[in-house]
Amino acid sequence: MKLIEVIEGKVRLLVPDPSQFSREGKFDPAWSPVFYNPRMTFNRDVSVLAVSVVSPPSVLDAMSATGVRGIRYVVESRIEGEVILNDKNPVSVELISKNLELNGVKGKVVKSDANSLMHQVKVGYTDLDPFGSPAPFLFSAISSLRRKGVLGVTATDLSALEGKSRTSSRRKYGVSGSKLSYSKEAGLRVLLAKIAREASVQEKGIKPLMGFYHDYYYRLFVKMEDGAKRADRSLESLGTLYECGLCGYSFMSVEGCERKCPVCGGELKYYGPAWVGELNDQEFLEEMKNKLTGFSYLQNFEMISKLLERLGMENRFGPYYRVDVLASRLKVNMPSMFSLLQCLDGVRTHFDPRGFKTSREFPEVIECIKMSSART
């Protein structure tokens, strides 16, 4: 296996040469004997910043592959406690050791099944970045955390989380209902609900610190809060997501028996169970903003800054609306987002370029779309 050296953040990495595993000029990281995906650099850049704010006493990188996350946490997040880098692939284990040596950092390299290892350790922060769904690993990942520990989770199985595949949604996440127009947000809320339910079995509550959608994945940072009462309180934040199939009104409710739209009386589509609380902790976002100045070297510095700003603005509102969906229902031209947001005093959402959030009542939303459309 030929290796090449790449630079990510402040670390140097040996990774398999993509040209050796390309097919007809195309390359998929899954074809390589050790997985390394450059498209996840934004994910890892955000994670380095978030972990520096968490400042955990110890870290487990449960599926390390090249070791890039764990090594970046040592070098850039400045984790001084034990960092465990695990992978069940013996080729990965060998490469992780080489990359640790290349960067002159220490880490405990383990060759183990991720679920098995996570049931055996106790750390301050566990990073779970599987190839696909995190669902089979969530219970053991939560088990691996010390009191007030934080879990970092990546999920790429959007079809299951958003409701595109009903059978996968039910099988992996225990979700019923149908896909909604604000499916990108729905998927993140479903993932949080799954984490809350898995944590509650272990008498732990959850506190979402930060969550976002980017490119083709979700990324979450969730703090555990020990105790049966905290677990019960978290379960009280689970509910159902609704959307009227007639007028497009959308809302969330802890009640699971809504059938008629409160605005027009139309039939409601539903999706859940889903987390209906806040997706981000405002204080955590502010701490990330404050620390970001020390990470100006990141190639995604500006993108991260904009994301943090947008997440803070979005946090005050419920589910987003899609301007194209509402305009289509009203049979009017799609208005410009700029004029619509001015009319509604609303904000864009990072989930969808056609999405917006507002605290205005739905009849006002409809009127603003009509007025803004007339100016188009």
Side-chain angles (χ1 to χ4, degrees):
M1 178 177 67
K2 182 184 176 184
L3 299 176
I4 61 169
E5 185 174 302
V6 298
I7 295 175
E8 184 174 303
K10 287 187 174 181
V11 307
R12 296 157 62 201
L13 293 166
L14 294 173
V15 302
D17 184 352
S19 65
Q20 281 196 307
F21 308 99
S22 298
R23 301 173 188 172
E24 297 177 356
K26 296 180 181 178
F27 174 72
D28 187 318
W31 299 340
S32 171
V34 179
F35 192 87
Y36 173 73
N37 190 355
R39 284 180 67 183
M40 280 288 181
T41 301
F42 181 80
N43 180 319
R44 292 187 286 265
D45 283 354
V46 173
S47 299
V48 163
L49 175 61
V51 170
S52 75
V53 174
V54 172
S55 191
S58 50
V59 167
L60 168 63
D61 184 4
M63 299 169 179
S64 292
T66 61
V68 59
R69 282 185 187 272
I71 294 170
R72 290 193 66 183
Y73 291 153
V74 175
V75 174
E76 298 172 66
S77 305
R78 299 185 179 181
I79 301 304
E80 296 180 356
E82 184 179 50
V83 175
I84 306 169
L85 301 97
N86 173 68
D87 206 287
K88 66 179 181 181
N89 179 355
V91 182
S92 291
V93 170
E94 185 179 341
L95 188 55
I96 292 166
S97 297
K98 288 181 180 178
N99 282 328
L100 283 168
E101 185 178 350
L102 181 64
N103 289 279
V105 298
K106 293 181 179 179
K108 183 179 179 181
V109 185
V110 180
K111 177 184 173 295
S112 176
D113 172 78
N115 273 328
S116 177
L117 179 64
M118 289 189 289
H119 278 300
Q120 297 174 46
V121 302
K122 290 292 179 187
V123 294
Y125 173 79
T126 291
D127 202 298
L128 186 59
D129 183 23
F131 183 67
S133 174
F137 307 98
L138 289 173
F139 188 86
S140 55
I142 293 164
S143 173
S144 73
L145 294 169
R146 295 166 52 167
R147 187 172 177 270
K148 296 184 179 180
V150 173
L151 176 63
V153 183
T154 301
T156 59
D157 57 332
L158 268 62
S159 62
L161 285 163
E162 293 182 32
K164 292 177 185 175
S165 172
R166 290 193 182 189
T167 53
S168 294
S169 299
R170 180 170 293 181
R171 185 172 62 251
K172 295 178 182 178
Y173 298 101
V175 177
S176 59
S178 54
K179 185 184 175 188
L180 308 175
S181 68
Y182 56 99
S183 63
K184 289 293 184 291
E185 181 171 341
L188 190 62
R189 291 186 178 279
V190 161
L191 180 55
L192 268 172
K194 175 71 171 177
I195 294 171
R197 283 180 287 149
E198 296 288 84
S200 70
V201 178
Q202 302 178 43
E203 296 194 340
K204 294 178 181 180
I206 71 165
K207 180 181 182 180
L209 298 177
M210 182 198 186
F212 65 93
Y213 163 76
H214 179 76
D215 197 5
Y216 64 99
Y217 61 85
Y218 293 112
R219 182 64 171 166
L220 271 173
F221 300 92
V222 184
K223 184 177 182 179
M224 297 297 141
E225 299 186 319
D226 287 23
K229 289 184 178 179
R230 288 187 173 92
D232 292 340
R233 279 201 294 272
S234 288
L235 293 178
E236 289 171 2
S237 291
L238 303 190
T240 306
L241 309 177
Y242 294 100
E243 180 179 10
C244 178
L246 187 60
C247 72
Y249 176 58
S250 300
F251 64 102
M252 306 182 295
S253 173
V254 293
E255 302 297 329
C257 56
E258 305 277 357
R259 289 293 178 264
K260 297 291 183 182
C261 174
V263 174
C264 74
E267 291 290 326
L268 289 172
K269 294 194 292 183
Y270 68 93
Y271 194 57
W275 181 264
V276 297
E278 290 189 345
L279 296 175
N280 297 275
D281 180 74
Q282 205 66 38
E283 186 177 334
F284 190 78
L285 292 179
E286 289 301 322
E287 288 187 59
M288 287 186 72
K289 284 183 195 175
N290 292 337
K291 277 215 166 186
L292 183 59
T293 54
F295 291 83
S296 58
Y297 63 89
L298 292 175
Q299 71 176 75
N300 292 300
F301 178 84
E302 291 296 335
M303 282 178 63
I304 295 172
S305 180
K306 289 176 182 176
L307 175 66
L308 293 175
E309 198 65 38
R310 186 159 288 182
L311 292 180
M313 292 190 292
E314 287 185 45
N315 217 30
R316 299 174 287 136
F317 305 109
Y320 67 87
Y321 289 104
R322 270 178 46 186
V323 62
D324 58 326
V325 170
L326 293 181
S328 176
R329 285 202 169 104
L330 291 168
K331 293 182 170 54
V332 298
N333 292 329
M334 190 169 73
S336 76
M337 187 67 81
F338 178 77
S339 60
L340 180 60
L341 294 180
Q342 278 192 319
C343 181
L344 287 171
D345 192 26
V347 299
R348 286 180 177 270
T349 175
H350 82 283
F351 286 111
D352 193 315
R354 301 159 297 182
F356 66 93
K357 294 194 172 203
T358 179
S359 58
R360 298 287 181 87
E361 295 296 323
F362 190 65
E364 292 181 80
V365 173
I366 294 302
E367 283 305 310
C368 277
I369 288 177
K370 288 178 180 178
M371 289 170 54
S372 302
S373 176
R375 298 193 196 108
T376 303

